[in-house]
Amino acid sequence: RWENASGEVVLLNDIDLSGLPEWTPIGAGKATGTPSYNTLVNPFTGVFNGQGFTISGIQWTFDAESEATHLHGLFGALKGATVKNLKLGAAGDQITVTGASPNVVAVGALTGYAEGSTIANVTNYVDVKTGRITNTANGGTGMNVGGICAFTLGGGIKINYCTNNGEVSAPTGRGGGLVGTLGGPTSEESGTAVSNSVNNGTVQDDAVGQYGGSKDYY
């Protein structure tokens, strides 16, 4: 839990999380059929400066049925925050989502959700894999998956100089190497600005073959 909204977290070394199979995302949030995530709990609101260091050894499994949060990643929720100068993961690192949820679920290697935040100079190598889920809704009410961020909402969001090298599996079609879903109004001042960024990872709608022959599902 992060209490000091004006503070800054700075990495001084690489961090190897090998052998840590469970992770509680920094910041949480719930949604029950709408993509608003109005029930954020302790979102990260400060500055996280990786100073070019790497957090690796990521082998996490998140349960889509979790009652604690519907937002998954290193961060669950960012609000008015800045995350910058970070390398996330290494070859073979992976986040896996299991379980069946009727709710909106957002899974990003860096963060599940971002609102009014800046993500700059972040490079991701973590694959994000989703398994067999029952929520086949499309749009923002389905499962949103992103290599950097799964779901952005509202104005003032900037994603700049970011690179995704991880593979992304998005079974409801709401997936992207950088961002899964750009939520909120479509006007320039109210949207998400993505610039100077690139995706090198493979993005698949249905990597596990859950909906084979059922084209209406994705």
Side-chain angles (χ1 to χ4, degrees), residues 60-80:
W60 302 332
T61 298
F62 294 117
D63 183 2
E65 300 180 38
S66 170
E67 290 299 320
T69 184
H70 299 146
L71 307 175
H72 305 285
L74 176 67
F75 295 88
L78 303 175
K79 185 172 183 179

Side-chain angles (χ1 to χ4, degrees), residues 135-190:
N135 181 358
T136 59
N138 60 14
T141 56
M143 175 172 277
N144 308 280
V145 188
I148 300 293
C149 177
F151 195 102
T152 65
L153 184 64
I157 302 169
K158 298 178 181 179
I159 297 176
N160 200 11
Y161 292 100
C162 290
T163 300
N164 175 59
N165 297 308
E167 295 185 3
V168 174
S169 170
T172 61
R174 285 289 174 170
L178 295 168
V179 182
T181 296
L182 300 159
T186 58
S187 61
E188 183 175 351
E189 65 275 10
S190 300

Side-chain angles (χ1 to χ4, degrees), residues 175-207:
L178 295 168
V179 182
T181 296
L182 300 159
T186 58
S187 61
E188 183 175 351
E189 65 275 10
S190 300
T192 297
V194 180
S195 57
N196 306 304
S197 299
V198 62
N199 172 59
N200 297 316
T202 300
V203 180
Q204 300 182 74
D205 275 353
D206 189 18

